[in-house]
């Protein structure tokens, strides 16, 4: 498989790990858009939210709880943060592996772009 996130998860491409368990891997974004910018990636290769089904129900809940824990550890849980995923070309998805961006550490604007 030629997926950059699968290669990061396997350790073939180095990353700055923030969190890991049996289901997800989280690491610092190499081009951060905020003081805290972490990518949270399921270890299972899923292209995007558009490819989810009922078997992924608990995984998505788990990802959100991991995001909460990462925000707490980064000290941004009280000030606020953004958790988002891009879906498809028009949604701005550049890597075809489901991933969530956790952004915080500054006032975030809306709309994002």
């Amino acid at each position: 498989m030629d997926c950059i996130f699968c290669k990061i998860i396997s350790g073939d491409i180095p990353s700055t790990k923030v969190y890991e368990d049996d289901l997800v891997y989280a690491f610092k974004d190499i081009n951060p858009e905020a003081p805290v910018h972490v990518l949270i990636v399921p270890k299972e290769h899923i292209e995007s939210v558009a490819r989810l089904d009922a078997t992924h129900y608990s995984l998505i809940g788990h990802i959100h709880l991991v995001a909460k824990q990462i925000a707490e550890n980064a000290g941004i849980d009280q000030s606020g943060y953004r958790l988002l995923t891009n879906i498809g070309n028009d949604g701005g998805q550049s890597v075809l592996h489901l991933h969530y961006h956790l952004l915080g550490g500054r006032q975030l604007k809306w709309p994002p772009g």
Side-chain angles (χ1 to χ4, degrees), residues 59-82:
L59 172 64
I60 298 307
H62 181 71
I63 289 171
H64 283 94
L65 291 175
V66 167
K68 177 181 180 265
Q69 180 180 340
I70 292 169
E72 288 170 355
N73 292 345
I76 60 171
D77 57 311
Q78 297 300 309
S79 60
Y81 55 96
R82 184 170 292 158

Side-chain angles (χ1 to χ4, degrees), residues 17-92:
K17 180 170 64 172
V18 173
Y19 177 90
E20 182 177 17
D21 65 24
D22 292 342
L23 299 175
V24 300
Y25 185 81
F27 56 98
K28 291 184 179 183
D29 193 295
I30 61 169
N31 295 308
E33 298 290 332
V36 175
H37 189 168
V38 175
L39 298 176
I40 305 168
V41 182
K43 289 185 173 180
E44 175 186 351
H45 183 87
I46 304 166
E47 186 175 302
S48 74
V49 168
R51 300 288 187 250
L52 292 173
D53 60 40
T55 65
H56 300 110
Y57 183 81
S58 62
L59 172 64
I60 298 307
H62 181 71
I63 289 171
H64 283 94
L65 291 175
V66 167
K68 177 181 180 265
Q69 180 180 340
I70 292 169
E72 288 170 355
N73 292 345
I76 60 171
D77 57 311
Q78 297 300 309
S79 60
Y81 55 96
R82 184 170 292 158
L83 181 64
L84 64 96
T85 186
N86 301 316
I87 303 155
N89 189 54
D90 283 356

